[in-house]
Amino acid sequence: MDDLESEFNLKVVLVSFKQCLNEKEEVLLEYYLAGWRAGQVLRASRFLNSLGTIFSFISKDVVTKLQIMDQLRSGPQQEHYSSLQAMVAYEVGNQLVDLERAHATLTQLFLEGVRTSPEDARTSVLCTDSYNASLATYHPWIIRRAVTVAFCALPTRKVFLESMNVGSSEQAVEMLNEALPFIEHVYNISQKLYAEHALLDLP
């Protein structure tokens, strides 16, 4: 996990998501996973370390999935893992489906909330709203309650924006303005793909 412990930089996320669509709007896994790794650095950063073990299950789950995807992309069936579309077609056809999308939704909703919120907005509220609209559905009440309480330890919006390492909080918002449309476009393509294969209701 050494590569996940480096400094988070929003620009890496932006570049990765810009590159992950080809002319056919297929989601290329090489760049898609690079964007996930960059986002995972955010989860492993000092910002979310303040949540302690309560939130670590999300981080560990994403790390595990990234490692599995890396193994599949270098394994004997690697030709089926060049794009998200190829992967879904192969795994659905061979009954190997194990897809998780709620983590992506949580990150996207939270960053969108940070981008559009006023300077005095509380990240604990933004994160709680994003969690309730995504992952909370999959968790029992006791986990939901613990996570919501843990969000209260999050630092300010300004501190979070500065942790993106792209300059001032204003510069970070500008880059979010540029990055989020790409992230949302890739997300919408993936959602359409999942819907076509009746995968949207998977836990």
Side-chain angles (χ1 to χ4, degrees), residues 44-108:
S45 70
R46 194 176 310 154
F47 179 77
L48 289 187
N49 275 344
S50 61
L51 295 178
T53 56
I54 294 297
F55 206 70
S56 65
F57 66 92
I58 295 176
S59 180
K60 289 178 181 177
D61 185 55
V62 174
V63 170
T64 298
K65 291 181 186 301
L66 287 173
Q67 291 171 341
I68 291 172
M69 288 303 303
D70 284 335
Q71 292 170 3
L72 291 171
R73 292 186 64 248
S74 61
Q77 305 297 330
Q78 59 183 280
E79 69 270 16
H80 300 295
Y81 293 90
S82 59
S83 70
L84 189 63
Q85 285 81 354
M87 180 189 77
V88 169
Y90 174 70
E91 295 203 345
V92 168
N94 291 274
Q95 299 182 335
L96 302 173
V97 176
D98 182 19
L99 301 173
E100 176 65 72
R101 298 157 306 281
H103 300 319
T105 306
L106 172 61
T107 304
Q108 180 184 344

Side-chain angles (χ1 to χ4, degrees), residues 5-52:
E5 292 173 354
S6 58
E7 289 290 323
F8 173 73
N9 190 312
L10 179 62
K11 190 172 183 178
V12 176
V13 178
L14 173 58
V15 170
S16 297
F17 277 93
K18 274 186 173 181
Q19 293 177 322
C20 78
L21 291 179
N22 63 15
E23 64 279 359
K24 297 179 182 179
E25 292 210 322
E26 293 173 324
V27 180
L28 304 178
L29 287 180
E30 176 184 358
Y31 301 108
Y32 182 68
L33 295 176
W36 265 97
R37 287 190 189 90
Q40 179 57 22
V41 172
L42 169 61
R43 296 183 185 93
S45 70
R46 194 176 310 154
F47 179 77
L48 289 187
N49 275 344
S50 61
L51 295 178

Side-chain angles (χ1 to χ4, degrees), residues 159-170:
V159 169
F160 171 71
L161 288 170
E162 290 175 350
S163 74
M164 292 185 171
N165 293 319
V166 291
S168 66
S169 58
E170 291 79 11

Side-chain angles (χ1 to χ4, degrees), residues 68-203:
I68 291 172
M69 288 303 303
D70 284 335
Q71 292 170 3
L72 291 171
R73 292 186 64 248
S74 61
Q77 305 297 330
Q78 59 183 280
E79 69 270 16
H80 300 295
Y81 293 90
S82 59
S83 70
L84 189 63
Q85 285 81 354
M87 180 189 77
V88 169
Y90 174 70
E91 295 203 345
V92 168
N94 291 274
Q95 299 182 335
L96 302 173
V97 176
D98 182 19
L99 301 173
E100 176 65 72
R101 298 157 306 281
H103 300 319
T105 306
L106 172 61
T107 304
Q108 180 184 344
L109 289 174
F110 176 63
L111 291 177
E112 179 65 19
V114 171
R115 181 183 75 86
T116 58
S117 62
E119 290 185 9
D120 60 351
R122 297 170 54 196
T123 55
S124 58
V125 174
L126 298 175
C127 212
T128 297
D129 290 344
S130 302
Y131 174 75
N132 287 339
S134 56
L135 282 175
T137 304
Y138 303 100
H139 298 151
W141 178 86
I142 188 134
I143 294 294
R144 295 198 304 269
R145 179 60 179 165
V147 169
T148 302
V149 170
F151 286 154
C152 295
L154 289 174
T156 65
R157 176 181 182 272
K158 184 175 185 292
V159 169
F160 171 71
L161 288 170
E162 290 175 350
S163 74
M164 292 185 171
N165 293 319
V166 291
S168 66
S169 58
E170 291 79 11
Q171 290 172 309
V173 169
E174 288 179 9
M175 187 157 287
L176 279 176
N177 288 337
E178 184 179 359
L180 282 173
F182 287 98
I183 295 173
E184 182 177 4
H185 186 46
V186 172
Y187 174 77
N188 289 339
I189 289 173
S190 67
Q191 288 296 97
K192 181 180 178 182
L193 177 65
Y194 298 141
E196 289 172 352
H197 290 84
L199 300 176
L200 287 177
D201 295 327
L202 288 181

